[in-house]
Each structure stands twice: as structure tokens, then as C-alpha cells.
Amino acid sequence: MSNFYQKLCDAIGAASVREQEPMSAHTTFRAGGPARYFVTPEGEKELAAVLAACREAEKAYYILGNGSNLLVSDHGYRGVIIQLDRNLGEITVNGTEIRAAAGALLSTIAATARRSSLSGFEFAGGIPGTLGGAVTMNAGAYGGEMKDVLKEVTVMNQDGEILTIPADKLELGYRTSIIKTAGYIVLEAVISLKKGNIEEITALSRKLSAQRIEKQPLEYPSAGSTFKRPEGYFAGKLIMDSNLRGYRVGGAQVSEKHCGFVINAGGATAEDVSTLMKNVTDIVYEKFGVKLEPEVKFLGKFDGR
């Protein structure tokens, strides 16, 4: 037993600390090696205690929600994975505002909004992630983005201090925010919506869900849209026009249903996915002169990167 492991156990309890935790169980790609340390703090005080332990031991850490936008190396991650999901998943409604903790699933928030006859969050109902990640990356779909509905966000900085930032100070852009660039950790956010008609909200939610089922390869493990949208282009169309529909590396594949998705077609390693993404990027650039940028976050050491 390492001294650092014992410090983590002392800080938040042994039941909340694991060693060599397989990250394939915690990412939607269902691939990747183990995390050296995997912790699940119960709240803000425990999170601050973990950050303090990491600072003292000079250990790298990564904040994990639902693992829906993450590819962990087959070699694993030698730092600390701090998962904020079920332990920080509280959702409350006050009038037309929803206050939700960082670990709340977007689908659960959307369902809460629908039951409360609140409109404006339907776009997020099918995004397979948590609020913390969605706020950090200004997630969006079907013409909506988090920046359209956020009122304020409460974060913790790397020193364990808690700050509340109004939406107009978050520097929300395409898949970025001050939270990402400053290394803040989302604790909770207030979402401002509008009163609506529950039948109309339900109908729109069902329509968007049907579109996702029809157009996206939801039956396979993936990280959703694999590449960012290049200015003036669509990543999926560039990949399709490069004759890469169905292109495979090992168990990783460009989806035949939607070329903007890289899927785990069966037994894919993280290296398979990484190599496929690199090859696709190179081929698209050679053919069209457009450099695709991954929307997926890479964690750990990859042989080809």
C-alpha cells in the first residue's frame, strides 16, 4: 500500500478510493487501461481534501463525469481520476430555474424540466454526459448550447476555493469556456428556462430522440461526435466524401450510419480508436486541406501521438 493511497483513504474514506480501476468501465467508448487511483468524493469538502492531497504529493488528476467524451490510453493513467457523478447529482427546481450539481446527467435534468413544464433544455436530453462536462465544454446539439440556458456556475479552483461565476463571465464559445482554460471544477450550475406546455415539450423531446435514433449509431459504444465542426464544413461530410464510411482499424470503425462518429464495433482498444482518428484526420487533410480537431479528450500515453 502506497503512502499516497493511504492519504487518500484518510481524506475521504477507503470505500471511496480504488487502485488500478479499469477505465473501460467508466467511459462510453468501453476501452482503455486502468487508473492508478480512482476516487469518488461525496461532496465539496471531500473534493477539496482530494485536491489538497494531490497538490501535496504533486499528483496529476482528471475530473470525470459520465466518461462520454474521453479516451483513456491502454497503458492507463498514472494520476488520480476524480469521478463526480452520482455523489453530486442533486437537482432542484425553483420557478423557471433548475439548480443541478455537476454529476447530474443531462438526460435527468431534461426529464426534470419536462415534468416541470419548463422549455429550453430539450436540445440536451440526448447528450450522454453530466452537467459538469457540458458546462465546461459548452455542449450543444440541435441548435442549442449550454450558453443559451446558463445563469451562473459555481466552481472550485485548484486551491480548493469556491467561486460563483455569472454566465456572461464564463467566456462560453464553441466547445470551450473559462472553466476549461482556467482548470476550474464545476460544482453546480443554475439553468434558466421558460414556462411551456408539457405536451409541446414532450413532443419536441420525442422528435429529437427519434432523430438521434435514426441518424446516430447509438447501438455501439462511442464518444458521440468525434471531431469538432470545422468552420464552414461538417466533419461527418468531409469524412464521408473521403470515402471513409465504415473504415476500420482493429475494432474501431467510422460509423456507416453517421461518419462523424467513431464507434467501438467490438473489442476496440484505445490505440485502435486513436490510430483510426489520426488516419482519418490525415486523409481528410490530404484530400480537402481541412484539419479536423478531435472533440474527444485523450488521457494518458498513446503510441501514435
Side-chain angles (χ1 to χ4, degrees):
M1 182 185 298
S2 71
N3 289 336
F4 182 66
Y5 173 80
Q6 188 58 55
K7 286 181 179 179
L8 290 174
C9 292
D10 292 343
I12 65 173
S16 298
V17 184
R18 297 176 226 167
E19 291 188 281
Q20 302 300 337
E21 178 72 9
M23 291 306 295
S24 57
H26 299 283
T27 59
T28 57
F29 258 130
R30 296 293 178 256
R36 180 67 180 86
Y37 304 99
F38 186 93
V39 301
T40 52
E42 293 284 344
E44 294 174 9
K45 288 184 179 179
E46 287 197 345
L47 174 59
V50 170
L51 296 182
C54 289
R55 281 197 309 275
E56 183 181 345
E58 298 183 342
K59 294 283 187 184
Y61 63 84
Y62 182 84
I63 304 298
L64 178 72
N66 194 44
S68 59
N69 204 32
L70 179 66
L71 185 66
V72 180
S73 163
D74 297 316
H75 302 292
Y77 178 64
R78 297 192 59 79
V80 184
I81 296 289
I82 305 172
Q83 186 173 47
L84 307 180
D85 61 352
R86 299 171 192 83
N87 293 338
L88 290 99
E90 185 178 357
I91 302 170
T92 57
V93 180
N94 182 15
T96 58
E97 293 181 354
I98 294 178
R99 181 180 296 271
L105 289 170
L106 297 180
S107 57
T108 306
I109 298 171
T112 301
R114 183 174 67 251
R115 289 193 299 269
S116 303
S117 299
L118 295 178
S119 178
F121 206 70
E122 295 89 341
F123 74 91
I127 300 175
T130 57
L131 180 64
V135 171
T136 301
M137 298 302 295
N138 185 30
Y142 295 101
E145 290 181 296
M146 292 304 298
K147 70 178 180 62
D148 302 328
V149 296
L150 281 174
K151 178 181 179 182
E152 64 183 31
V153 179
T154 300
V155 302
M156 182 178 290
N157 67 19
Q158 296 176 22
D159 294 324
E161 298 171 332
I162 295 176
L163 313 167
T164 296
I165 308 174
D168 60 0
K169 302 296 184 184
L170 290 172
E171 299 178 15
L172 294 161
Y174 180 65
R175 303 300 177 261
T176 191
S177 70
I178 195 173
I179 298 166
K180 177 184 176 184
T181 56
Y184 294 149
I185 300 169
V186 176
L187 299 177
E188 65 175 25
V190 176
I191 298 164
S192 181
L193 303 174
K194 296 179 181 179
K195 269 293 181 186
N197 179 289
I198 191 169
E199 284 143 0
E200 292 176 359
I201 295 168
T202 301
L204 178 55
S205 298
R206 287 177 176 168
K207 177 184 175 183
L208 295 181
S209 178
Q211 288 181 17
R212 288 185 181 97
I213 292 169
E214 178 188 356
K215 297 179 180 179
Q216 298 179 8
L218 303 180
E219 65 273 29
Y220 291 100
S222 78
S225 295
T226 308
F227 297 97
K228 295 178 182 179
R229 185 181 66 242
E231 190 170 350
Y233 298 90
F234 291 99
K237 188 171 190 316
L238 288 170
I239 295 167
M240 180 179 66
D241 291 347
S242 298
N243 299 316
L244 291 171
R245 184 190 296 275
Y247 172 68
R248 290 186 71 133
V249 172
Q253 181 181 23
V254 173
S255 169
E256 295 186 8
K257 196 172 189 180
H258 190 314
C259 290
F261 286 65
V262 172
I263 62 172
N264 183 344
T269 65
E271 200 64 41
D272 288 343
V273 176
S274 174
T275 300
L276 184 145
M277 289 177 63
K278 183 178 185 305
N279 292 352
V280 166
T281 300
D282 291 345
I283 292 167
V284 168
Y285 184 75
E286 183 178 343
K287 190 170 181 65
F288 294 105
V290 179
K291 188 75 169 177
L292 294 179
E293 293 184 24
E295 194 159 315
V296 175
K297 167 75 175 178
F298 294 85
L299 193 62
K301 184 179 183 301
F302 289 84
D303 295 340
R305 290 181 179 271

